Amino acid sequence: MKPESPTVSDALPLVAVVGRPNVGKSTLFNRLTGRRQAIVDSKPGSTRDRAYGRVEWQRREFSIVDTGGLSPGADEHFLKLSKVQADVAIGQAALVILLVDAQSGLLPDDEALARKVRSSGKPVILVINKAEAGRRATNEFARLGFGEPFPVSAEHNEGIGDLLDLITERIQAPEIHEVQDNVRPIRVALVGRTNVGKSSMLNRLVGEERSIVSPVSGTTRDAVDSEVVWQGKPYLFVDTAGIRKVRLLEDGADHVAVVQAKRAIDRAEVCVLMVSAEEGMREMDATIAGLVQESGRAVVVAVNKWDLAKSLDKTAAQMREEFSYRIKFLEYAPVVLVSAKTGMGRKDLFTAIDKARVEWSRRVPTGPLNRCLQDAVARNPIRFKKGADGVNLLYAAQIRVDPPTFTLSVNREGELHFSSERFLVNCLRKEFGFDGSPIRIWLRVRKSRSGPQSFKMRKAVPRPRTDGKPSSGRDMPVESSSQFESPKSRIDKRRPRRS
C-alpha cells in the first residue's frame, strides 16, 4: 500500500453480534462495552452501520462490532444495506454471537440466519437474550445446532459475566496493554448537516464501505468510530449523524442520533466541519459551527464536492471568502477543499488536522505573553460592558491548554466587552498563531495593594536621639497603641466590674 494511503488499525480479536431485528443486539453491545454508544430503540432498523467498541474483562480485552438486524426476506432499503454491513462484520470476526429472543421464541428468520452463519465457517456462540432469571424455556433453540444455548438478559445484566468468561476463553483474548501518550490516536469528529458527504469521506479515508451512503437524508444514526493510520500516525475518526432542526426529526432514534453527534463533538480533539460546495453555506452550517465553537475543540472546515467547482463557477478564494463572511466567529479555522468521491485534498486535510491539534495544545511563555497584551492594551484600553473606566491590566498568564485559556488580572470587577475580547484574541493570534484553535480569556480581579490591610495598625512614638537634635517622625519606633492610653483609662481597666 502506498505510504500516503490510510490504513485501518485492528490488532485485537473481533467478536461480531448478529441477529434479526429487535432481539437486543445494541443493548448487549452497550452492556459489554460499558458505554451507551449504540442507539437502542423499539423500532426495527434503528442500527444501520457497524458500530465498533472495545471490551475489557479480567485484565483482557477484545473488540466487538454491533450490526444491523438481518432479515433474509426484507425488502426495506436500509435493511438491505445493513445486510451488506453485517456480512463484512462476519467476515472480519474471529467469533460470531448469534443473538435470539426468548420472548418471541424460535422463528424462521432465526433458522435462516443460523444457516448463513454456519456457512461462514466461523465459531459461533448461541446467546438467548431476554431470558430473565431463566423464567422462559430455551430448549427449542438447541435445534439450531450450535450446542447448548447461553441465556442472558442484557437489559438487567444477568449472565453477562459468564458470557464474557466464555468469549475470552474461546478467542484467547490478549491481556490489556497500556497505550503510550505519543501513540494515542487523535480523535477527529466529522460533523455537519445532512447530505454533505460525511459518511462518504469516512469511507474514502478508511478505504472501505465503512458507513452506509444513501441520498436519503438522515441515513447515519450511530456515531461510527474508525481507526485510521496515515503516514505512521494513528487517528480515530467518528462519523456522526447529520444535525438537523428539532422540528425535522421524525422519531426517537433521530433525536438520539443528534444527541450522540453532539456528544461526539465533546469527546473529540479536532472537529472537521463539512460543508457542501454545491449547496454553499446554509443557516444550519452556522448553527453547527456555533456548537463546535462552544465546545472549545480545534476545528477544520472541509468544503466537500469540490470536484464540481468547475460546473459551479467557484474559485477557492471565493469559497473561503464566502465562509469567512457567513461564519465570522470561526474565521480562524483553516478551510480545506476536498472531494470524497475522487479523494482530492485528502493530504491537505490530514495536514490541517495535525496543525490544528498542535495549536490546540500550544503553551505560551509568560514573559512574551505579558509583553504582547501590555502593548495591545496600550493601543486599545480594556473596556467592560457597563462602560467602566480606568481598567488596568496587571498580569496575564496561561492557565491551561486544550483549548488555550488565559487569565487576565485586572483592578476592577466587570464583564469584558466583546470588542475588547475580540481585539485581545486577534493580538494573540497575530503574535503566537493558534490557527484552528479557539482561545478562551477569563478575568480575575486583584485588589490594589493600597487598599485596606488585614493586619493591625500600629502608632509611632518619638525615639530619643543621641546627637542632641529634636526627634523626627522618621526616628519614631513602632510601639503598641496602648502607650497612648490615658492613666484614667488604665485605672478603669483594672477596676473590677460590679455585679
Side-chain angles (χ1 to χ4, degrees):
M1 186 171 290
K2 297 180 181 180
E4 66 271 8
S5 299
T7 59
V8 180
S9 175
D10 188 13
L12 296 176
L14 181 64
V15 177
V17 182
V18 299
R20 57 182 176 82
N22 275 38
V23 295
K25 297 182 299 298
S26 297
T27 304
L28 180 62
F29 176 84
N30 292 341
R31 178 65 67 182
L32 295 179
T33 58
R35 290 175 49 195
R36 298 186 61 181
Q37 180 177 345
I39 295 178
V40 178
D41 192 78
S42 59
K43 183 179 179 181
S46 298
T47 302
R48 296 171 180 174
D49 299 298
R50 287 172 283 153
Y52 287 82
R54 181 166 297 183
V55 181
E56 297 181 359
W57 178 254
Q58 301 295 338
R59 298 297 302 169
R60 296 185 179 275
E61 61 179 349
F62 60 89
S63 297
I64 189 170
V65 54
D66 180 27
T67 62
L70 299 180
S71 183
D75 295 329
E76 204 269 330
H77 176 64
F78 288 119
L79 287 179
K80 290 183 178 180
L81 297 177
S82 299
K83 178 180 178 298
V84 176
Q85 295 288 318
D87 292 341
V88 174
I90 294 175
Q92 296 176 346
L95 175 68
V96 177
I97 294 179
L98 178 58
L99 196 65
V100 294
D101 187 354
Q103 292 181 355
S104 302
L106 183 61
L107 299 180
D109 285 351
D110 295 326
E111 297 178 351
L113 290 176
R115 291 191 295 268
K116 178 182 180 62
V117 172
R118 186 180 291 108
S119 64
S120 67
K122 300 297 180 68
V124 180
I125 297 178
L126 179 61
V127 178
I128 305 175
N129 193 25
K130 306 178 185 179
E132 289 82 358
R135 290 190 295 268
R136 296 183 176 88
T138 58
N139 297 331
E140 58 179 336
F141 294 100
R143 293 161 40 191
L144 297 178
F146 294 111
E148 184 179 357
F150 200 96
V152 299
S153 175
E155 184 175 359
H156 298 90
N157 197 20
E158 296 181 5
I160 300 300
D162 296 336
L163 177 61
L164 286 170
D165 290 336
L166 181 59
I167 294 174
T168 53
E169 180 183 356
R170 288 281 188 93
I171 64 176
Q172 297 296 318
E175 294 184 356
I176 298 176
H177 63 280
E178 298 295 335
V179 180
Q180 300 179 0
D181 292 337
N182 56 352
V183 297
R184 193 177 299 277
I186 300 176
R187 294 188 61 91
V188 183
L190 302 177
V191 298
R193 53 186 175 87
T194 57
N195 283 41
V196 294
K198 299 183 296 299
S199 298
S200 299
M201 178 58 66
L202 179 66
N203 293 340
R204 171 62 63 177
L205 297 176
V206 175
E208 63 176 9
E209 294 298 321
R210 179 65 181 81
S211 296
I212 294 178
V213 178
S214 171
V216 179
S217 179
T219 299
T220 302
R221 284 179 172 175
D222 292 291
V224 180
D225 298 358
S226 300
E227 292 189 10
V228 176
V229 178
W230 173 265
Q231 296 183 349
K233 183 179 295 186
Y235 301 83
L236 181 61
F237 282 89
V238 183
D239 179 24
T240 62
I243 300 178
R244 295 178 286 177
K245 295 181 179 180
V246 177
R247 60 181 176 84
L248 299 178
L249 302 178
E250 298 178 357
D251 51 21
D254 291 336
H255 285 270
V256 176
V258 173
V259 172
Q260 285 196 351
K262 295 179 180 180
R263 290 178 180 175
I265 294 175
D266 295 333
R267 293 197 308 267
E269 297 171 337
V270 181
C271 291
V272 177
L273 175 61
M274 299 198 64
V275 297
S276 174
E278 184 179 15
E279 300 176 1
M281 300 299 300
R282 298 289 183 87
E283 179 184 356
M284 200 61 198
D285 294 324
T287 302
I288 300 172
L291 295 176
V292 176
Q293 165 75 6
E294 294 175 359
S295 68
R297 301 297 179 258
V299 58
V300 175
V301 179
V303 181
N304 193 22
K305 306 179 183 179
W306 193 245
D307 53 315
L308 305 176
K310 294 182 179 179
S311 61
L312 299 174
D313 293 333
K314 288 185 179 181
T315 62
Q318 290 176 347
M319 194 66 205
R320 291 187 173 92
E321 183 179 357
E322 180 184 357
F323 176 80
S324 299
Y325 176 76
R326 298 291 298 272
I327 310 179
K328 295 183 179 180
F329 59 88
L330 215 63
E331 59 184 0
Y332 60 86
V335 180
V336 183
L337 308 178
V338 297
S339 173
K341 183 178 180 180
T342 63
M344 182 192 69
R346 183 173 53 178
K347 182 178 179 180
D348 296 337
L349 179 61
F350 277 102
T351 302
I353 290 174
D354 292 339
K355 184 177 180 181
R357 179 61 182 84
V358 172
E359 297 295 326
W360 194 54
S361 300
R362 176 180 293 278
R363 187 172 291 276
V364 177
T366 304
L369 172 64
N370 279 269
R371 286 192 292 271
C372 172
L373 293 181
Q374 290 291 353
D375 293 342
V377 172
R379 298 194 306 269
N380 189 359
I382 297 177
R383 292 176 53 199
F384 283 165
K385 285 187 175 181
K386 294 186 178 180
D389 298 329
V391 182
N392 298 328
L393 174 61
L394 305 178
Y395 183 74
Q398 185 176 1
I399 59 175
R400 70 177 61 170
V401 294
D402 303 342
T405 304
F406 303 89
T407 177
L408 308 183
S409 297
V410 295
N411 61 333
R412 289 176 177 270
E413 293 185 2
E415 188 174 356
L416 191 63
H417 195 273
F418 76 92
S419 60
S420 291
E421 182 179 4
R422 182 176 55 189
F423 174 73
L424 295 176
V425 168
N426 291 338
C427 291
L428 291 174
R429 294 192 185 279
K430 183 178 180 180
E431 183 71 20
F432 304 108
F434 297 113
D435 296 334
S437 173
I439 296 177
R440 299 284 186 264
I441 293 181
W442 296 349
L443 294 184
R444 185 174 68 91
V445 180
R446 191 172 73 179
K447 294 182 180 180
S448 176
R449 296 181 180 179
S450 61
Q453 304 296 325
S454 58
F455 56 86
K456 184 178 180 180
M457 298 294 294
R458 296 180 180 272
K459 295 183 180 181
V461 296
R463 176 188 298 173
R465 299 187 55 159
T466 58
D467 54 0
K469 295 182 180 180
S471 300
S472 61
R474 291 174 297 179
D475 301 322
M476 295 181 181
V478 177
E479 300 292 346
S480 174
S481 60
S482 61
Q483 297 182 6
F484 290 88
E485 295 177 350
S486 63
K488 183 178 180 181
S489 61
R490 297 178 184 175
I491 296 175
D492 293 339
K493 289 182 178 179
R494 292 196 297 265
R495 289 177 180 176
R497 294 183 178 180
R498 297 180 180 179
S499 57

